[in-house]
Amino acid sequence: MAAITTPSLPFCPPPKDQKGENKVEFFDFTSLAKEGKVPKEFIWPTENWVKSSGEIIELPLIDIGLIKNDESAMAKAAEIVREACIKHGAFEVTNIGVDVDFNDLVLQETGNIFKLPLDEKIKAIAKDSGFSVAHAERYTTVLPWKETFTFMYNHNSKNETQVIDVVDSLLGKTFQQTGLVYQKYCDAMNELTKVLFELLAISLSVDRNHYQSFFEDAVSMMRCNFYPPCSANLSGALGNGPHCDPISLTLLLQDQVGGLEVFADNKWLAVPPKPNTLVINIGDTFMALTNGLYKSCLHRVFVSNKVERKSLTFFVNPRGDKTVSPPDELLGKEESRKYPDYTWNELYQFTQKTRRVDAHTLDSFVAWQSSSEASN
């Protein structure tokens, strides 16, 4: 696949006031929508606006209920997934153990939390969790036209109400129903990841339990996304610019509005939403765990000029101190390592403090890591 030119978007910390504290500018999308304008902070470089092909990508669709109980179906699915992951790093899954009505309920609860007034959202901003309004607490330019609500999920936690507890701490008792719904959803994602990692291991011809074991104590990130309508979106605003996720796997539930595009066959292709279907993206860290065989999915998100868009991204990460290294089965005698060992914590901190996530995050991290080691 031909490379796409994507400008580097360096880390831009918010300006500091005279006391040395970060001054965060909070944007009220409701007011911006009424004014019908896009502030300069949301304008993306023209290189990020490579024209859409107008075509749709037909991602492989895997029936999870079928492959869980049928070895032959699992083997066939593994072949299909392998081809997709080598080519562009994305596929879809359905029949994941929760019905369409429940997925609709999750999206409905997501809409409810973003209806809070801005001053209430600001109160629920916490380190690595809670609300973020266009990530303005971290950046000053090329902001995404979206709001997020984020919290962590520990895969082997003994606390069966961990999500309920964190939602309560951030939003209060009035959002108890939201916490209950998100708890059930995250538990379902936990079970789904076990099947996905078995499927991916089989597709790579490694021990089928290898990745399940590696991620058994994963600490994943649940992020709810809200993309307000942008009547002036043709002026340069994007829901998300072109990027690869630095994490291992992204499990994406999107509503029926659409806007997601994947870069494949040297062009941008739309990923239309389907009921009761999740999009699975390979991220940088899983690419490293395959020694570069599987591709980290390059994607972007457009916003609608008429209606809001909602999605949920369940980012699967290894435990922070685990060493990211491919299994021996993927390393032939003459095959060199494409990426050095690192821990998820090291890459995550790099994306938080040194460089924004884009199409070249992992390569930039490796170069930064190498230069840091050379200078010590």
Side-chain angles (χ1 to χ4, degrees):
M1 184 177 75
I4 182 172
T5 301
T6 305
S8 170
L9 301 176
F11 178 77
C12 301
K16 294 182 177 180
D17 60 21
Q18 293 181 347
K19 297 180 181 179
E21 298 177 349
N22 284 344
K23 289 181 63 179
V24 180
E25 182 172 5
F26 294 104
F27 296 91
D28 187 340
F29 283 109
T30 301
S31 299
L32 293 178
K34 292 178 180 179
E35 297 172 6
K37 70 175 185 179
V38 176
K40 66 181 186 305
E41 290 87 350
F42 290 92
I43 306 302
W44 285 70
T46 56
E47 295 93 334
N48 292 266
W49 280 81
V50 176
K51 186 178 180 181
S52 301
S53 66
E55 301 173 36
I56 291 173
I57 186 170
E58 292 294 338
L59 296 178
L61 180 62
I62 307 301
D63 187 318
I64 297 298
L66 178 62
I67 67 172
K68 285 171 66 175
N69 304 304
D70 189 323
E71 283 295 318
S72 176
M74 175 72 88
K76 290 179 181 178
E79 292 179 7
I80 295 170
V81 164
R82 178 183 176 88
E83 181 179 353
C85 291
I86 289 175
K87 185 177 182 181
H88 49 63
F91 58 97
E92 294 179 319
V93 296
T94 189
N95 193 13
I96 63 171
V98 295
D99 58 29
V100 176
D101 290 339
F102 180 72
N103 286 338
D104 289 342
L105 178 60
V106 178
L107 290 166
Q108 179 181 326
E109 292 296 334
T110 299
N112 289 339
I113 66 173
F114 288 105
K115 290 177 182 177
L116 284 169
L118 181 62
D119 58 344
E120 291 296 315
K121 295 175 184 177
I122 293 173
K123 293 177 184 177
I125 293 176
K127 181 176 174 56
D128 296 330
S129 63
F131 278 104
S132 173
V133 182
H135 297 323
E137 74 279 4
R138 292 177 55 204
Y139 310 124
T140 58
T141 59
V142 284
L143 301 179
W145 190 266
K146 70 171 183 176
E147 299 177 64
T148 63
F149 181 75
T150 303
F151 55 87
M152 309 307 289
Y153 178 84
N154 190 327
H155 286 243
N156 68 350
S157 173
K158 303 298 183 183
N159 180 7
E160 296 181 353
T161 62
Q162 60 169 310
V163 175
I164 298 171
D165 296 343
V166 72
V167 172
D168 177 70
S169 69
L170 291 167
L171 299 177
K173 297 294 184 183
T174 56
F175 281 88
Q176 188 173 46
Q177 171 66 14
T178 304
L180 289 167
V181 170
Y182 282 169
Q183 180 73 58
K184 181 179 178 180
Y185 184 80
C186 289
D187 290 343
M189 293 303 100
N190 185 12
E191 294 303 310
L192 176 58
T193 58
K194 297 175 184 177
V195 181
L196 291 176
F197 283 128
E198 182 180 15
L199 174 64
L200 289 165
I202 294 171
S203 76
L204 288 159
S205 299
V206 303
D207 186 302
R208 68 190 301 154
N209 297 316
H210 175 81
Y211 293 116
Q212 280 188 346
S213 177
F214 184 80
F215 286 94
E216 65 182 355
D217 51 2
V219 180
S220 293
M221 179 184 294
M222 175 72 180
R223 175 164 290 167
C224 311
N225 305 293
F226 179 76
Y227 302 88
C230 185
S231 59
N233 65 335
L234 293 180
S235 65
L238 286 170
N240 261 331
H243 70 285
C244 298
D245 296 331
I247 48 76
S248 297
L249 288 185
T250 300
L251 284 56
L252 170 69
L253 173 66
Q254 52 180 337
D255 63 14
Q256 298 303 298
V257 174
L260 174 65
E261 291 192 341
V262 165
F263 192 75
D265 296 325
N266 202 30
K267 54 189 173 183
W268 286 103
L269 301 165
V271 183
K274 300 174 184 175
N276 201 29
T277 299
L278 271 65
V279 179
I280 311 299
N281 289 351
I282 299 295
D284 289 343
T285 293
F286 197 79
M287 179 170 66
L289 285 168
T290 69
N291 199 36
L293 178 61
Y294 282 5
K295 190 177 297 296
S296 186
C297 180
L298 179 59
H299 55 288
R300 66 182 180 183
V301 177
F302 284 104
V303 290
S304 169
N305 61 359
K306 296 180 180 179
V307 295
E308 63 190 37
R309 178 180 184 267
K310 299 181 290 293
S311 70
L312 286 85
T313 44
F314 190 81
F315 295 123
V316 185
N317 308 306
R319 197 182 68 212
D321 60 353
K322 278 202 171 175
T323 300
V324 174
S325 184
D328 293 338
E329 296 99 312
L330 293 181
L331 299 174
K333 292 182 179 179
E334 298 180 359
E335 186 171 1
S336 61
R337 288 284 303 278
K338 293 185 171 61
Y339 305 100
D341 288 349
Y342 65 89
T343 66
W344 164 243
N345 274 342
E346 290 172 331
L347 178 57
Y348 178 69
Q349 291 303 318
F350 175 78
T351 65
Q352 299 299 296
K353 298 179 180 180
T354 306
R355 180 189 173 95
R356 291 182 64 157
V357 170
D358 61 14
H360 312 291
T361 304
L362 187 55
D363 288 337
S364 299
F365 168 69
V366 169
W368 172 83
Q369 188 182 49
S370 178
S371 67
S372 297
E373 291 174 353
S375 63
N376 290 335

